[in-house]
Amino acid sequence: MYFKNPEQDGNELQERNTDGFDNTMEALLPTLHQQRTYDYVLVADKVEDQDHPKFLKQVAFIDHLRKKNMKVTKIVHDDKVFYGVRAPKEIFDKYRYLLKVSDACNWSGDRKCVIIPHSTRIRVVHYILHHTHINTGENLEELQKKGVFEATFCLHERNKQKVLKQKWARWSALCMTQPVDDVRSYFGEKVALYYLWLGWYTILLVPAAILGVIVFLYALAFFNTSPLIKEVCESDTVMCPRCDKWCQVWQLRDTCTYAKVSHLFDNEGTVAFAMFMAVWATIFLELWKRHKATFVSKWKVFDWCEEEEELILGVVNDPNCHPKEFRHSYLRSTLVLVLVTLMLVLIIGLTQALVVFRVVAAVQLSEGTWEFVRDHANTVAVMLGAVLHYFTMQVMTKVNKVVAFKLCEIEKTQSFAATERSFTVKMFTFQFFTLFSSLIYVAFFLGRINGRPGSYVRISGKWRLEECHPSGCLTDLFIQMAVIMLLKQTLNNIFEFTVPWFKSYFRRTTTKRLERKCGHCYKNACREEEKMGHDPCDICKLRDWLRNYDLNDVNSFSLFNEFLEMVVQFSFTTIFVAAFPLAPLLALINNIFEIRLDAIKMVSLERRLVPKKTNDIGIWTKVLEAIGVLAVIANGLVIGVSSDFIPRLVYRYHYGPCANGEADVHCMKGYINDTLSTAHITDLSVRNDFFPSQLITESGFNVTQCSYKDYRNDVDYSLTSQFWLIMAVRFAFVILFEHVVVIFKFIAAWFVPDSPMLVKNDRLKDKLSRLKEELQDMKYSQSTDV
């Protein structure tokens, strides 16, 4: 390792005195500690050949920065070249003035700051760097892709970083309140609003989780006394084989345990809980808007407009710049629409492939050598399908991201904010279908399109479509939800933390060696220089730069990944909660750890995110509102179509003992037998569907008939009037459920104002004070002119 004397290199862009410090009078200003802080660091491979295109482009880019009055410090370390970039005060004076005269950003607190916050400096310099073009027309992003620069990053502030670690980014702070104001000061409003939203979401999960546990315990307390379970456990009914070849006829009482499990999440309490969660999603969003309004008002970004800030930064970077005009092309829109449709068809096709996998796997497992697997082939196949679905999700997530980026490039959006919105909508749409296509099939199609004995539906005329679990179709949905949520949340959190930790650990060795070389210089001399207002020596600057360089890379969409993960979890928690009442509890436990995991990762394991200013979570609000609507539809369909709630209701009031006037008999007595139809083995079509060995009971008797779950006539197998009555009641319930819940959602949205009155009054007073201030400035200007 060696350090190059800047005065010996003609490419060094910062003039220095013989004592090694900046030749500037700004060292005497109160803003000195801000001026000494480097705003950005560029890293490139050292190129010995000065005629090499990479070297020439490096020099050209740095030269363009110099023309913008940027101060650049160059330090060579081993085979790397580090450029520390520092913006002059004039740039931020222009920025503050343009904030003052802008339409939407003039309420920002930055315009009155005596000392520009370091987060603002980073944001402004980040924009300038990425909008600086060399003579070939290439910008920094394109130069990075071509290997001219290896990395670009802004620096962590060690003192503030240490404070955040103590207050927030440590596991021992699990139950502590988040220092959102400190997070905002360090990472910007965009990151702060993410953690504010995540914290608020976690808090409001508490009542949902408690109610979900109560519903679960209610079912657990009464399932031993349920007449339906008792009827299943004491039944002598012989059921038809559930698959081809190896499955034999079986006794309904064999599913006694499964019937008890099914009752835990398919009961009357589930209906009320599903309605509660649908309304909860709306109340959560309305309360979040109020909660957010309090903070964005305090942070002076209530009316902030990201697109207008881009215009301001554009003028700061180049006073002669031209705006990127809005464009719309029907050809491009049509192309994007077609490509999105094809992508969704591909995703749905993968779901159908998983269905085929489960069908084929059940057959193969049933012919295996392991007795336990052979006896539970269908259940094992469902669980394997859920695990395979998880790994498919992981692969498709990467594919979806690439496709969404390409589609945004085709659209040619007007600004980065517009690109981010477009990317978010496309990515979430792809992810939603990737995650939920399989669940939608299990919830609404499994066991309903497989046919009946004598007329089974088969894939390629060979493999018989799978049936619902013996205890009901909702059990399959419960298994899928449990496996995916547990796997997704647990494994994602493990990989999300361990992978960056290991990467950072193995890259830290270089920095530690440099710390030892820094020695006395770092401990004493450089500290004294900092107190006096001078730059630290090259060794200590490089030490700090290397420490940041060794951290894991981040980009503009790093925060998007965190949001996507949480919004997907929100979808699982609300959309199919009728089949999995414990989902809010699992989400709550996960989020308690997720907040600290993300905090530790951002503060200690990753390079500093570029602070972004905003006043909302953006398009995610619309996505969450859409999820709330889907939750109403999905839960209504799960209860009305997938569960046995409606058939039980119809039996109780129309076909059961109570409906027929029988006294001293439970209203649900005989319900299980009422849901079964009979297939006669004497029927040739039925006999052809089974092998003779499948029609022998465990005790060795040949059966002449078997039962299956359906409402069909025993003579011609036509659907009975009871089936059509239940179908009509199902759809009536879905319509009634959705209308009632939607009305409650509208009432909740109307009842809870988006902004507290205190915030509205504060903003009103602030606007009045700004108008008075402008009037005083005008009077002062007029008196000066006179």
Side-chain angles (χ1 to χ4, degrees):
M1 182 189 73
Y2 70 92
F3 297 98
K4 199 164 186 178
N5 188 339
E7 294 181 327
Q8 296 175 356
D9 188 356
N11 296 312
E12 174 57 63
L13 304 178
Q14 183 175 3
E15 295 182 0
R16 312 177 69 135
N17 291 327
T18 54
D19 59 359
F21 301 118
D22 289 346
N23 181 18
T24 175
M25 290 300 294
E26 291 179 356
L28 302 176
L29 297 176
T31 57
L32 172 67
H33 64 286
Q34 294 291 330
Q35 290 294 331
R36 284 191 298 99
T37 302
Y38 285 88
D39 303 312
Y40 236 86
V41 175
L42 310 180
V43 185
D45 292 325
K46 187 174 71 173
V47 181
E48 298 291 350
D49 182 7
Q50 296 191 1
D51 292 328
H52 195 281
K54 283 187 178 181
F55 180 83
L56 296 175
K57 288 182 179 181
Q58 281 181 28
V59 173
F61 187 80
I62 299 301
D63 188 54
H64 275 74
L65 293 182
R66 180 182 60 181
K67 291 177 181 177
K68 295 181 179 182
N69 294 325
M70 293 284 188
K71 298 180 181 179
V72 181
T73 298
K74 176 180 178 181
I75 300 178
V76 179
H77 169 65
D78 290 345
D79 59 344
K80 301 292 181 186
V81 181
F82 290 79
Y83 296 99
V85 180
R86 179 187 301 162
K89 180 176 178 293
E90 295 77 22
I91 286 180
F92 305 105
D93 290 340
K94 294 177 185 178
Y95 176 71
R96 284 188 297 187
Y97 176 77
L98 291 176
L99 286 180
K100 180 180 179 180
V101 300
S102 70
D103 294 328
C105 301
N106 56 11
W107 205 53
S108 169
D110 282 354
R111 70 184 184 89
K112 290 186 177 181
C113 288
V114 177
I115 298 176
I116 293 293
H118 194 58
S119 58
T120 300
R121 294 181 62 93
I122 292 172
R123 187 171 69 255
V124 174
V125 173
H126 172 82
Y127 182 91
I128 293 173
L129 289 177
H130 285 78
H131 289 79
T132 297
H133 297 76
I134 61 176
N135 297 333
T136 59
E138 295 167 303
N139 59 14
L140 182 58
E141 183 180 354
E142 293 167 332
L143 293 175
Q144 277 189 266
K145 289 179 179 178
K146 295 181 178 179
V148 176
F149 291 100
E150 180 199 338
T152 63
F153 54 88
C154 50
L155 298 171
H156 280 288
E157 300 170 74
R158 296 197 65 191
N159 292 335
K160 291 185 178 180
Q161 193 180 24
K162 185 177 180 181
V163 171
L164 285 177
K165 287 180 181 178
Q166 292 174 346
K167 288 185 177 181
W168 181 53
R170 54 188 175 92
W171 290 115
S172 55
L174 275 176
C175 299
M176 294 175 62
T177 305
Q178 295 190 88
V180 182
D181 290 330
D182 292 334
V183 176
R184 173 250 177 179
S185 175
Y186 191 75
F187 286 111
E189 284 78 3
K190 200 161 196 172
V191 172
L193 283 173
Y194 163 71
Y195 284 105
L196 188 69
W197 175 83
L198 182 55
W200 189 247
Y201 170 43
T202 303
I203 290 171
L204 287 192
L205 274 174
V206 173
I210 292 173
L211 188 59
V213 171
I214 291 173
V215 170
F216 181 79
L217 294 177
Y218 162 80
L220 192 64
F222 294 101
F223 78 93
N224 278 326
T225 59
S226 171
L228 301 180
I229 296 176
K230 185 177 180 181
E231 188 175 346
V232 172
C233 295
E234 296 177 355
S235 175
D236 293 325
T237 304
V238 177
M239 304 295 292
C240 296
R242 297 186 62 235
C243 63
D244 292 332
K245 295 183 180 180
W246 65 275
C247 294
Q248 291 182 295
V249 290
W250 49 284
Q251 296 286 336
L252 182 60
R253 61 172 174 265
D254 295 341
T255 63
C256 178
T257 303
Y258 293 117
K260 293 178 180 179
V261 173
S262 176
H263 185 69
L264 295 178
F265 46 86
D266 189 3
N267 55 72
E268 293 78 5
T270 305
V271 180
F273 184 61
M275 293 182 68
F276 167 81
M277 287 302 296
V279 177
W280 173 90
T282 297
I283 294 176
F284 159 70
L285 283 174
E286 296 303 319
L287 291 178
W288 155 246
K289 292 174 184 176
R290 287 176 60 83
H291 189 59
K292 174 211 67 176
T294 303
F295 281 86
V296 298
S297 176
K298 181 172 67 173
W299 296 339
K300 305 294 185 184
V301 289
F302 200 97
D303 297 315
W304 188 265
C305 176
E306 293 180 66
E307 292 182 346
E308 187 163 337
E309 191 205 22
E310 285 197 41
L311 292 175
I312 293 173
L313 292 174
V315 175
V316 170
N317 178 51
D318 179 10
N320 299 317
C321 69
H322 299 283
K324 187 177 179 181
E325 297 180 352
F326 290 96
R327 295 178 181 178
H328 181 267
S329 168
Y330 287 103
L331 178 61
R332 290 181 182 275
S333 299
T334 303
L335 179 60
V336 169
L337 184 61
V338 171
L339 292 176
V340 167
T341 304
L342 290 176
M343 188 65 185
L344 295 180
V345 169
L346 172 63
I347 293 171
I348 295 172
L350 287 175
T351 302
Q352 301 309 313
L354 288 173
V355 172
V356 174
F357 167 81
R358 284 200 297 267
V359 172
V360 176
V363 175
Q364 298 299 322
L365 291 171
S366 66
E367 298 174 350
T369 56
W370 292 355
E371 183 179 352
F372 177 81
V373 175
R374 187 170 63 246
D375 294 341
H376 301 84
N378 284 325
T379 303
V380 174
V382 169
M383 297 190 71
L384 284 176
V387 173
L388 183 61
H389 184 206
Y390 169 78
F391 288 108
T392 303
M393 288 190 305
Q394 298 302 104
V395 174
M396 286 305 298
T397 297
K398 299 183 182 301
V399 175
N400 293 342
K401 187 175 293 186
V402 173
V403 173
F405 268 124
K406 295 297 182 184
L407 292 176
C408 289
E409 289 178 5
I410 294 174
E411 280 185 323
K412 292 188 176 180
T413 49
Q414 190 267 345
S415 64
F416 176 79
T419 302
E420 196 173 24
R421 289 194 295 268
S422 178
F423 175 79
T424 299
V425 171
K426 292 177 178 60
M427 184 64 184
F428 179 78
T429 302
F430 294 154
Q431 284 296 93
F432 181 86
F433 278 87
T434 301
L435 296 172
F436 287 93
S437 293
S438 180
L439 295 178
I440 291 172
Y441 169 78
V442 171
F444 306 124
F445 297 99
L446 179 64
R448 292 171 177 79
I449 57 174
N450 62 308
R452 59 169 179 83
S455 182
Y456 284 119
V457 177
R458 299 177 183 274
I459 299 175
S460 301
K462 183 178 181 181
W463 294 294
R464 173 178 154 188
L465 278 182
E466 56 189 335
E467 296 183 9
C468 288
H469 197 275
S471 59
C473 297
L474 221 57
T475 304
D476 295 282
L477 184 58
F478 170 81
I479 292 173
Q480 288 269 12
M481 286 278 292
V483 171
I484 290 174
M485 277 202 76
L486 288 172
L487 269 178
K488 182 172 177 52
Q489 293 189 161
T490 305
L491 293 182
N492 275 12
N493 284 346
I494 291 173
F495 284 113
E496 190 177 342
F497 181 76
T498 56
V499 172
W501 187 87
F502 278 112
K503 284 183 179 179
S504 179
Y505 176 80
F506 287 116
R507 296 177 66 179
R508 263 182 273 170
T509 54
T510 305
T511 308
K512 288 184 177 179
R513 290 199 303 269
L514 191 61
E515 285 182 22
R516 292 193 291 270
K517 291 188 177 185
C518 189
H520 177 76
C521 169
Y522 174 71
K523 291 181 180 178
N524 298 316
C526 284
R527 288 184 180 178
E528 291 300 321
E529 290 173 359
E530 287 183 10
K531 290 178 182 178
M532 295 172 61
H534 299 304
D535 267 346
C537 68
D538 283 352
I539 294 179
C540 293
K541 281 202 291 281
L542 182 61
R543 176 184 182 272
D544 188 38
W545 297 354
L546 278 174
R547 186 189 298 110
N548 285 268
Y549 173 70
D550 287 342
L551 298 175
N552 294 288
D553 193 19
V554 293
N555 55 51
S556 302
F557 291 94
S558 294
L559 188 63
F560 168 85
N561 297 328
E562 307 298 341
F563 252 122
L564 180 63
E565 181 184 352
M566 287 296 100
V567 172
V568 165
Q569 184 211 79
F570 181 83
S571 305
F572 275 108
T573 306
T574 54
I575 289 180
F576 286 114
V577 72
F580 194 27
L582 296 179
L585 177 64
L586 292 181
L588 173 63
I589 296 171
N590 174 81
N591 288 3
I592 291 173
F593 291 94
E594 181 75 26
I595 292 173
R596 303 304 158 182
L597 187 151
D598 288 347
I600 293 171
K601 190 174 62 174
M602 281 190 185
V603 174
S604 303
L605 302 178
E606 292 181 341
R607 294 171 185 166
R608 185 174 180 176
L609 278 170
V610 176
K612 296 284 186 178
K613 196 175 283 289
T614 186
N615 61 358
D616 198 1
I617 57 174
I619 195 66
W620 290 115
T621 302
K622 300 294 183 183
V623 172
L624 292 170
E625 290 174 351
I627 292 171
V629 174
L630 290 175
V632 176
I633 298 171
N635 283 300
L637 289 172
V638 167
I639 296 169
V641 177
S642 304
S643 75
D644 287 335
F645 174 75
I646 296 302
R648 290 197 296 262
L649 205 65
V650 171
Y651 181 81
R652 176 187 289 270
Y653 295 106
H654 199 273
Y655 295 99
C658 295
N660 296 324
E662 297 182 30
D664 300 327
V665 179
H666 195 282
C667 292
M668 297 304 294
K669 182 177 177 60
Y671 168 75
I672 299 299
N673 286 332
D674 185 68
T675 62
L676 301 177
S677 299
T678 303
H680 299 281
I681 308 302
T682 54
D683 189 308
L684 182 61
S685 61
V686 175
R687 190 164 64 247
N688 288 338
D689 266 338
F690 305 114
F691 291 100
S693 59
Q694 292 183 268
L695 303 175
I696 302 175
T697 62
E698 291 182 354
S699 55
F701 291 99
N702 286 320
V703 298
T704 58
Q705 63 182 34
C706 60
S707 299
Y708 59 99
K709 193 171 183 178
D710 207 347
Y711 295 94
R712 291 185 179 273
N713 191 294
D714 294 345
V715 179
D716 59 0
Y717 301 108
S718 60
L719 295 170
T720 63
S721 59
Q722 186 175 354
F723 169 85
W724 295 111
L725 176 61
I726 290 174
M727 181 65 71
V729 176
R730 284 184 189 274
F731 283 110
F733 170 83
V734 171
I735 294 172
L736 180 64
F737 177 90
E738 292 178 358
H739 279 70
V740 169
V741 174
V742 167
I743 289 172
F744 274 110
K745 285 169 70 69
F746 277 121
I747 293 174
W750 165 81
F751 190 75
V752 181
D754 290 350
S755 296
M757 293 299 106
L758 181 62
V759 171
K760 290 184 177 181
N761 290 330
D762 285 345
R763 292 191 62 243
L764 195 63
K765 293 175 182 177
D766 185 81
K767 288 179 179 180
L768 181 61
S769 66
R770 285 192 291 116
L771 291 174
K772 291 180 178 179
E773 181 182 335
E774 290 295 330
L775 184 60
Q776 291 296 328
D777 291 342
M778 184 193 73
K779 290 180 179 179
Y780 176 77
S781 176
Q782 289 176 347
S783 63
T784 304
D785 293 339
V786 172

